[in-house]
Amino acid sequence: MFKQLRLMLVMHILLITTFLLQHFFDSHNNVMTFKSYVSPQQKISQTLINHFYSTDENITNEAKESIIEITLKNLSQHQWLAYREYVDLKLYTANVLPENNLELIVSLNLSKDQAALAIYRLIGDEYIYTSKIENIAPVEKIDFIPIPGLEYDFIVSHQLIDERLGGFFIERFIKIYMYSDSHFKSIWQETKFSEEIYRLRLLNPSAPEDRWMKVTVNNLIRFESNPTLHIILETNQKKFSAFHETFPSANSFKLEDSFRGIETFYWHPTYQHFVIGEGLVRATGNTVAILSDTADSKESFSGYSLKNYRIITPDGKIEYIPKDRIINSNH
């Protein structure tokens, strides 16, 4: 009888262990963490971090190269290993995961068009690769802001798109990420500065061939927490025109139009986004949150006829819908 009870107990323990292991490996981040934990070459030691901040330039450079190599392998970006000496590396520590600990955020600018972030969890005295944000524009800097009601932070990345070589466009913008449902998702984006120059004929085929347009955006973005977390966006857009057979000089452009406006985005925990308001879909009566108004966009100011709301449904679906199909509860 005793042997039977012991056998049943052992089988019960095995079943529980199997269930817990299956649950563990069903999580993508747990798999990555486990792989990093058992693979010494995929870890970043605290000693290596200390070397990166050394006052000895040689020690710093060696540590930098090692961190870049480890992170590229963790990201499966092996094609960049041959160019690692040209990769721009920045390190940050912040609490961006729900575990309420400080994580290591490794920012890699891989080229003038591409960057990636790798997030490492501290276990003992080693940082273990856990998550990532890929296919983003080069990062100039990162800030961190506490998420209301949660005990970890938003990643507020300042990114750059520079197409002045072979093109006539530059944009600096803020993009906010939040860890949710086992991955980082983008929850807000807005331009800080942009300048775009193009032939008007690209927008209006009947325009004179020698007429050029320049549209600039200079936005002031402020984060405030009283009474709840919100973002104040002060917009300053200008439109210039010039006549020239080839690309015009800067002093050839004359001011044609300008627009100033202010918009407030507030954090909505139900939708997990910054929104400008809520509304009802006329056809169904369903509640949605309004993420932005395309009529206030730089594309609309440039001459495109845009009269939509960008909305999000309670189940997280994002879409564009004509403004007249929404009953805006803020108006």
Side-chain angles (χ1 to χ4, degrees):
M1 181 69 177
F2 177 74
K3 290 183 178 179
Q4 290 179 333
L5 288 173
R6 186 170 61 179
L7 180 61
M8 291 178 63
L9 179 60
V10 171
M11 292 179 65
H12 185 66
I13 292 173
L14 286 173
L15 286 171
I16 292 175
T17 303
T18 301
F19 172 79
L20 292 175
L21 285 173
Q22 183 63 43
H23 178 72
F24 177 85
F25 284 108
D26 280 343
S27 168
H28 176 66
N29 286 327
N30 284 339
V31 171
M32 290 194 298
T33 301
F34 179 76
K35 287 181 178 179
S36 295
Y37 191 76
V38 299
S39 303
Q41 68 272 22
Q42 292 182 283
K43 304 175 185 179
I44 296 178
S45 67
Q46 185 60 60
T47 299
L48 188 57
I49 299 297
N50 294 340
H51 286 175
F52 177 78
Y53 292 109
S54 171
T55 55
D56 186 316
E57 186 176 350
N58 291 329
I59 293 177
T60 296
N61 289 335
E62 289 178 4
K64 175 183 175 181
E65 184 172 342
S66 295
I67 294 170
I68 291 172
E69 181 175 347
I70 291 168
T71 301
L72 287 174
K73 290 179 179 178
N74 283 329
L75 294 171
S76 297
Q77 297 272 10
H78 300 88
Q79 70 274 20
W80 294 103
L81 287 171
Y83 308 99
R84 58 184 177 272
E85 63 182 294
Y86 305 108
V87 172
D88 177 56
L89 168 69
K90 297 182 180 68
L91 299 183
Y92 303 87
T93 54
N95 182 200
V96 298
L97 297 176
E99 285 79 4
N100 197 25
N101 292 308
L102 288 179
E103 288 81 40
L104 174 69
I105 298 91
V106 177
S107 170
L108 299 181
N109 286 342
L110 304 172
S111 69
K112 79 175 196 68
D113 301 312
Q114 187 177 348
L117 303 180
I119 292 82
Y120 291 79
R121 179 186 291 125
L122 182 63
I123 298 179
D125 62 349
E126 295 177 313
Y127 288 97
I128 309 301
Y129 173 61
T130 302
S131 192
K132 62 183 177 180
I133 303 174
E134 289 187 296
N135 301 316
I136 61 177
V139 176
E140 296 188 303
K141 68 172 184 175
I142 298 176
D143 298 319
F144 304 93
I145 295 178
I147 303 172
L150 299 175
E151 295 184 350
Y152 59 105
D153 297 343
F154 293 119
I155 293 178
V156 183
S157 64
H158 300 250
Q159 299 180 36
L160 169 67
I161 299 174
D162 189 346
E163 299 295 344
R164 288 175 295 180
L165 291 176
F168 313 107
F169 178 76
I170 183 172
E171 180 183 17
R172 286 185 165 87
F173 60 95
I174 286 177
K175 197 165 187 177
I176 302 177
Y177 301 92
M178 172 187 177
Y179 189 81
S180 179
D181 298 327
S182 300
H183 70 284
F184 283 92
K185 63 179 183 180
S186 171
I187 59 168
W188 193 78
Q189 179 175 331
E190 188 54 63
T191 300
K192 294 194 299 182
F193 167 82
S194 72
E195 180 177 284
E196 183 175 11
I197 301 174
Y198 56 92
R199 289 185 186 269
L200 183 58
R201 181 167 280 193
L202 294 175
L203 183 63
N204 180 5
S206 63
E209 186 176 354
D210 63 344
R211 189 176 183 190
W212 295 75
M213 302 300 299
K214 178 169 73 172
V215 177
T216 64
V217 176
N218 279 284
N219 291 337
L220 178 62
I221 300 172
R222 304 198 312 272
F223 292 85
E224 297 188 357
S225 300
N226 189 15
T228 58
L229 180 61
H230 56 281
I231 304 171
I232 298 176
L233 172 67
E234 295 185 30
T235 301
N236 180 13
Q237 301 175 349
K238 293 182 179 180
K239 187 189 301 182
F240 304 82
S241 65
F243 289 88
H244 210 275
E245 291 296 328
T246 57
F247 190 74
S249 62
N251 57 11
S252 299
F253 287 98
K254 307 301 180 184
L255 181 64
E256 185 175 283
D257 194 9
S258 63
F259 169 78
R260 286 183 176 271
I262 187 166
E263 189 73 80
T264 299
F265 299 79
Y266 63 91
W267 174 246
H268 200 305
T270 300
Y271 295 93
Q272 290 194 342
H273 274 75
F274 286 93
V275 305
I276 60 175
E278 292 183 271
L280 299 174
V281 180
R282 291 185 185 274
T284 64
N286 294 335
T287 302
V288 296
I290 302 171
L291 300 176
S292 61
D293 184 343
T294 59
D296 297 331
S297 67
K298 61 182 178 182
E299 291 80 12
S300 179
F301 181 68
S302 296
Y304 294 93
S305 180
L306 302 175
K307 298 179 181 179
N308 298 319
Y309 282 133
R310 181 170 175 261
I311 60 98
I312 182 171
T313 62
D315 61 358
K317 183 180 180 181
I318 296 177
E319 58 186 77
Y320 289 86
I321 189 168
K323 294 172 64 174
D324 59 7
R325 296 185 187 176
I326 296 289
I327 302 173
N328 191 337
S329 60
N330 289 6
H331 294 165

